[in-house]
Amino acid sequence: QVQLVESGGGVVQAGGSLRLSCHAPRMITSVFNPRTMGWYRQAPGKQREFIASISSTRTTNYIDSVKGRFAISRDNSRKRVYLQMNSLKPEDTAVYYCNDVVAPLSWGEGTPVTVPS
């Protein structure tokens, strides 16, 4: 059964912005809220990598390559996690996924982001 649904990807020129959304449609709020949720990405020919997380208390963590450009947030009432991506670069091209950082769920299909060089 689908546990996580990512959306919001697309093709954007270098320097542009996108806002990704992750929804947990089947998860009840009391189960979603305590989870530390993260965004991951998998570029062509590479392994999936962690890029950002947000805890239940909204403590955030980022890898160096996206610090200052990406911002993760969450809306617990809607069971959603967002990733605002600004100043996009060609090296940000990847399929983006969300998941629980501590107790991973089944992976969703992801949402592709393409930044042409």
Side-chain angles (χ1 to χ4, degrees), residues 8-61:
V11 179
V12 61
Q13 296 303 310
S17 299
L18 281 173
R19 188 191 193 209
L20 307 184
S21 176
C22 168
H23 184 211
R26 294 181 176 271
M27 200 176 297
I28 61 175
T29 303
S30 61
V31 173
F32 178 83
N33 290 355
R35 294 177 178 267
T36 294
M37 297 298 294
W39 281 96
Y40 300 76
R41 66 186 178 188
Q42 186 166 18
K46 296 187 177 180
Q47 290 189 331
R48 184 153 42 203
E49 66 169 343
F50 164 85
I51 55 173
S53 66
I54 184 166
S55 72
S56 59
T57 57
R58 290 177 168 75
T59 298
T60 58
N61 185 36

Side-chain angles (χ1 to χ4, degrees), residues 1-6 22-27 79 98 105-110:
Q1 61 186 25
V2 175
Q3 295 181 295
L4 297 166
V5 181
E6 301 91 352
C22 168
H23 184 211
R26 294 181 176 271
M27 200 176 297
K79 300 176 293 181
C98 69
L105 305 166
S106 299
W107 291 96
E109 294 186 353

Side-chain angles (χ1 to χ4, degrees), residues 38-105:
W39 281 96
Y40 300 76
R41 66 186 178 188
Q42 186 166 18
K46 296 187 177 180
Q47 290 189 331
R48 184 153 42 203
E49 66 169 343
F50 164 85
I51 55 173
S53 66
I54 184 166
S55 72
S56 59
T57 57
R58 290 177 168 75
T59 298
T60 58
N61 185 36
Y62 301 91
I63 60 172
D64 287 345
S65 61
V66 306
K67 279 182 182 176
R69 300 190 299 122
F70 291 10
I72 189 171
S73 60
R74 65 190 297 161
D75 182 340
N76 287 341
S77 65
R78 300 184 66 191
K79 300 176 293 181
R80 289 184 181 269
V81 181
Y82 302 99
L83 186 68
Q84 178 67 43
M85 305 189 297
N86 300 323
S87 302
L88 282 160
K89 304 176 180 180
E91 51 263 44
D92 295 319
T93 294
V95 179
Y96 285 71
Y97 303 86
C98 69
N99 212 328
D100 184 318
V101 173
V102 177
L105 305 166

